[in-house]
Amino acid sequence: MNSMTEIITCISKNLGTGNVMNVSREEALLIPEISQRVFDILSVNLRLEGTWIKEGAKFEWASEAGILENIAPVVDEYKRTRGLLPIRLCVLGPPASGKSLVASQLCQNYKLHHLKIADIIQQAIEKLEKQAARAESEEGEEDDEGAQQAQETLDLLNESKQENNDRYEDQYIIQFFNEKLMSMPCQNQGFVLDGFPKTYSQAKELFGNKEEPDDEEAPRLEYNNKLMPEVVVSLEADDEFLKKRIMNLPESVVAGTHNTEDLFLKRLAEFRAITLTIRLF
C-alpha cells in the first residue's frame, strides 16, 4: 500500500517538476477550490485492504502492483487519451536568420521549452558544480561517489575546452542535450531546439536509437521517438541579406557577441560548408 504523499510525489516527478508543497490543514481550508467534503476525504487517515477485489473479482489486472510501480504506463495512457502529447520542434538556419526569434515565439504560443546551446551547457555545468560541491558538505558519505564523478567530469570538460579552442567536444554537448530532452518537463510539454544539431553526425548521435526493442519480433527504429523532432523549421536567406541585417544592428547589441563582422562571416562560411556537405550526402 502507498501513502498519499508517496503517490503525489510520484505523480509530480513524472508529470511535473518533482517538487511537492506540503499544505497544513488550516491553509487547505482557506483554498476556495477545496470544499469541506473534499477536505474530509483528503485528510482521512485510513488504510484499506482490497481483499475481495484481489481474490474475488474475476478480471485481468492492468496495474495490480499499484500506481507507483506502474506510473510509466499510467502516465502514457493519461496523456494519450487526453491528447496531451508533447510537441517536438527544431529550428535551423544560417546565423542572423532569426532562429531564436522564431523559436521564442513558438515556445510562447505553445508553452514549450526553448533549448539554446549556450543555456544547455551553462545549466549542465552548474548542475555538475553543485554535485561536486557536495563532497565538501557535511551530508555524509552517501554523495561522495556522485560528487567525485561530477568533479572528474568537470575536469574532463575543462581539458576538452582548452584543447579545442575554447569549445566543448560534440560528445559532451550531445550528452547535455540528451539529458535535457529526456527530462520530465521536455518529455511532458515538449521543446524547441534552437539551431542544434548543426551537422548530420550530431543529429545522428543525438536522435539515433541505441536501445533494443522489448519485443524481439518488433522492428527496430533507427531513431529515438522520444527525442526526434516531429517538425523541422528551416529558415533560408541569402548572404547579402544576412550581412546587411548584421550591419544594421546597433553597436551596443553587437559588442561582446559572435555577431562581429569577422566572427559572423566565419560562422556563415561554416554553415554554408556544412549545408553543402549534407546536400551532397
Side-chain angles (χ1 to χ4, degrees):
M1 292 183 292
N2 305 122
S3 67
M4 180 69 75
T5 300
E6 291 173 335
I7 293 173
I8 292 174
T9 302
C10 181
I11 293 173
S12 178
K13 286 181 179 179
N14 286 273
L15 282 175
T17 61
N19 298 323
V20 175
M21 181 176 66
N22 294 317
V23 179
S24 67
R25 290 173 174 267
E26 293 76 14
E27 292 172 327
L29 287 170
L30 297 176
I31 300 176
E33 291 80 6
I34 298 181
S35 64
Q36 184 63 50
R37 179 175 178 274
V38 172
F39 175 83
D40 293 338
I41 293 174
L42 292 175
S43 59
V44 66
N45 186 16
L46 181 63
R47 288 181 177 269
L48 299 175
E49 180 68 32
T51 305
W52 185 87
I53 296 177
K54 292 175 65 176
E55 298 177 358
K58 303 297 182 182
F59 56 81
E60 184 178 350
W61 286 93
S63 304
E64 184 176 0
I67 191 170
L68 265 64
E69 289 74 9
N70 297 277
I71 188 64
V74 169
V75 167
D76 183 67
E77 179 183 349
Y78 174 83
K79 292 193 292 187
R80 289 188 179 279
T81 55
R82 290 162 176 79
L84 300 175
L85 300 180
I87 302 174
R88 300 186 297 273
L89 302 169
C90 181
V91 180
L92 302 175
S97 59
K99 297 186 296 294
S100 295
L101 175 61
V102 173
S104 176
Q105 291 176 340
L106 287 169
C107 289
Q108 291 177 7
N109 188 66
Y110 293 104
K111 304 298 185 290
L112 306 175
H113 298 277
H114 190 175
L115 305 184
K116 296 184 285 187
I117 186 169
D119 294 342
I120 296 296
I121 293 174
Q122 182 180 356
Q123 291 169 11
I125 297 296
E126 290 176 354
K127 181 180 178 181
L128 287 169
E129 289 175 345
K130 288 181 180 179
Q131 291 174 341
R134 293 178 185 173
E136 302 176 0
S137 66
E138 300 179 355
E139 296 179 0
E141 299 181 357
E142 294 183 2
D143 293 332
D144 283 356
E145 185 176 351
Q148 184 177 354
Q149 291 177 351
Q151 186 58 56
E152 291 174 356
T153 303
L154 285 171
D155 294 339
L156 290 172
L157 287 168
N158 289 329
E159 292 178 11
S160 171
K161 194 174 181 180
Q162 292 174 1
E163 295 173 358
N164 291 277
N165 296 322
D166 208 32
R167 291 185 175 184
Y168 295 107
E169 293 178 78
D170 281 356
Q171 60 173 325
Y172 298 115
I173 297 175
I174 289 170
Q175 177 185 337
F176 296 155
F177 266 96
N178 186 276
E179 292 173 357
K180 184 67 175 181
L181 294 179
M182 288 301 294
S183 67
M184 284 298 105
C186 286
Q187 285 295 301
N188 288 327
Q189 283 86 46
F191 54 81
V192 177
L193 287 163
D194 184 349
F196 190 88
K198 298 178 183 292
T199 66
Y200 173 78
S201 59
Q202 289 175 343
K204 188 175 180 180
E205 188 64 27
L206 178 59
F207 303 130
N209 188 18
K210 303 176 180 63
E211 298 180 359
E212 294 294 334
D214 295 332
D215 186 355
E216 295 181 358
E217 298 181 357
R220 186 178 186 277
L221 295 175
E222 294 184 1
Y223 60 89
N224 188 332
N225 57 4
K226 293 183 178 180
L227 305 181
M228 188 73 168
E230 298 168 297
V231 178
V232 176
V233 179
S234 180
L235 304 180
E236 296 184 2
D238 59 52
D239 291 0
E240 288 303 315
F241 171 82
L242 297 171
K243 290 175 184 177
K244 289 179 180 179
R245 192 165 188 265
I246 289 294
M247 291 173 59
N248 290 330
L249 290 175
E251 185 69 26
S252 58
V253 175
V254 175
T257 71
H258 46 218
N259 284 328
T260 59
E261 182 177 357
D262 292 340
L263 288 177
F264 169 74
L265 292 176
K266 180 181 178 182
R267 291 167 57 226
L268 183 58
E270 290 176 351
F271 176 83
R272 295 303 185 198
I274 292 171
T275 304
L276 179 61
T277 303
I278 294 174
R279 287 176 177 172
L280 291 174
F281 179 82

